[in-house]
Amino acid sequence: MSIRTDTRHLYLQVIDQIKKDIDNGRYKEREKLPSEFQLSKLLGVSRATLREALRILEEENIVTRRHGVGTFVNAKPIFSSGIEELFSVTEMIERGGMKPGSQYLSTEMLEATEEDVKKFYPFHVETFAKVERVRTADGEPVVYCVDKIPKGLIPLEHVHKEDSMFQLLEEYSEKVVSYAVTFIEPVGYQERISTILNCEPDQPLLLLKQMHYTTEDEPVLYSSNYFRADTFGFHVLRKRV
């Protein structure tokens, strides 16, 4: 199976071919790819070209390379969402055809730090509720959530009765979340969080840091959500202007 008839850079051809072989079932999820020696011979390229292709495939979370062990095909995300679309975690799980749930770890009132004050600027925040929980899909842990909400916007005694913070804000404060400013960071193994989410030691997480705003541009919810990268995938539509 030589790919040299294609005129593009060889590593791009290798990437496309491996993706096709995964899609066609030649290489199955969580299974080990052939060795670099075998795969380079099979594709008719040098091992240096193959390594560059595998490096990019790992950055795209298509494969995971384990030093001294080999390269493995990652499972495809169960939930996928355009990052330009704002859905709550509850909505994302429901759209994936699964039942959302929550496991509450802690709820406490804290004094706002200087960093917290900056996050919620220009609105003055002195105290906020910090809620830590694990979101589940059909009972399986998939997201570790840390939410910060200014004091008085939601009754803490009702936090454990509702999965969606968006819904709570709407019901008790008539605050409708309209948009969010989001930062995405790929993060490695987090001892406590990864253990709670049943992650393998080499399994990455996607950290979404989001400040949520109402239609009046009022910041009402800051969240740090750690998503299992094998379960959630995010994409963005980019248009040329």
Side-chain angles (χ1 to χ4, degrees):
M1 179 181 57
S2 176
I3 60 177
R4 288 188 176 275
T5 54
D6 198 318
T7 58
R8 295 172 302 155
H9 289 296
L10 282 177
Y11 74 90
L12 295 176
Q13 300 175 49
V14 171
I15 290 170
D16 284 350
Q17 186 60 54
I18 292 175
K19 285 181 176 179
K20 286 177 184 176
D21 288 340
I22 292 172
D23 289 340
N24 294 335
R26 182 186 183 97
Y27 306 127
K28 301 186 184 303
E29 292 182 357
R30 305 186 190 282
E31 287 189 354
K32 184 179 176 181
L33 290 178
S35 68
E36 287 186 2
F37 174 76
Q38 293 172 317
L39 203 50
S40 61
K41 277 191 70 174
L42 188 64
L43 296 170
V45 298
S46 69
R47 292 178 72 174
T49 297
L50 176 64
R51 288 190 186 116
E52 176 62 12
L54 292 176
R55 181 187 68 79
I56 294 172
L57 286 169
E58 186 170 39
E59 287 182 352
E60 295 180 0
N61 201 37
I62 304 297
V63 302
T64 294
R65 292 187 290 178
R66 298 176 185 168
H67 183 68
V69 180
T71 303
F72 294 80
V73 179
N74 291 336
K76 291 183 179 179
I78 299 172
F79 310 104
S80 182
S81 175
I83 200 66
E84 70 276 5
E85 299 175 287
L86 180 59
F87 296 109
S88 68
V89 175
T90 298
E91 291 171 319
M92 290 182 65
I93 293 173
E94 289 176 339
R95 286 164 66 90
M98 303 181 81
K99 182 180 179 180
S102 296
Q103 298 171 358
Y104 284 87
L105 304 178
S106 67
T107 304
E108 56 184 333
M109 296 300 298
L110 297 174
E111 295 298 316
T113 64
E114 186 176 337
E115 184 180 352
D116 294 321
V117 171
K118 288 179 180 178
K119 282 189 176 78
F120 284 92
Y121 181 83
F123 293 91
H124 185 62
V125 176
E126 294 183 350
T127 310
F128 63 87
K130 179 183 176 183
V131 181
E132 291 185 82
R133 56 191 176 146
V134 176
R135 302 307 313 277
T136 61
D138 284 352
E140 290 296 318
V142 291
V143 191
Y144 183 95
C145 302
V146 181
D147 295 313
K148 293 182 177 181
I149 307 159
K151 180 182 178 181
L153 289 187
I154 61 171
L156 291 188
E157 63 270 19
H158 290 280
V159 166
H160 295 188
K161 299 177 183 178
E162 176 64 61
D163 286 332
S164 174
M165 288 295 176
F166 287 10
Q167 191 70 29
L168 274 175
L169 284 166
E170 221 171 305
E171 288 180 2
Y172 293 97
S173 298
E174 297 183 353
K175 305 286 186 182
V176 179
V177 173
S178 177
Y179 66 96
V181 176
T182 305
F183 294 90
I184 304 178
E185 297 178 18
V187 296
Y189 189 81
Q190 308 288 304
E191 186 171 354
R192 179 169 181 265
I193 297 172
S194 296
T195 300
I196 289 174
L197 294 179
N198 297 330
C199 295
E200 297 293 332
D202 57 0
Q203 186 175 324
L205 298 168
L206 291 174
L207 170 58
L208 267 66
K209 298 179 179 178
Q210 300 190 102
M211 177 59 81
H212 300 80
Y213 297 85
T214 66
T215 51
E216 291 77 30
D217 301 320
E218 180 183 0
V220 291
L221 167 65
Y222 182 79
S223 62
S224 298
N225 293 335
Y226 295 80
F227 292 83
R228 284 184 53 144
D230 65 336
T231 307
F232 284 85
F234 298 96
H235 56 270
V236 62
L237 175 64
R238 302 177 68 194
K239 294 183 179 180
R240 189 174 181 182
V241 295

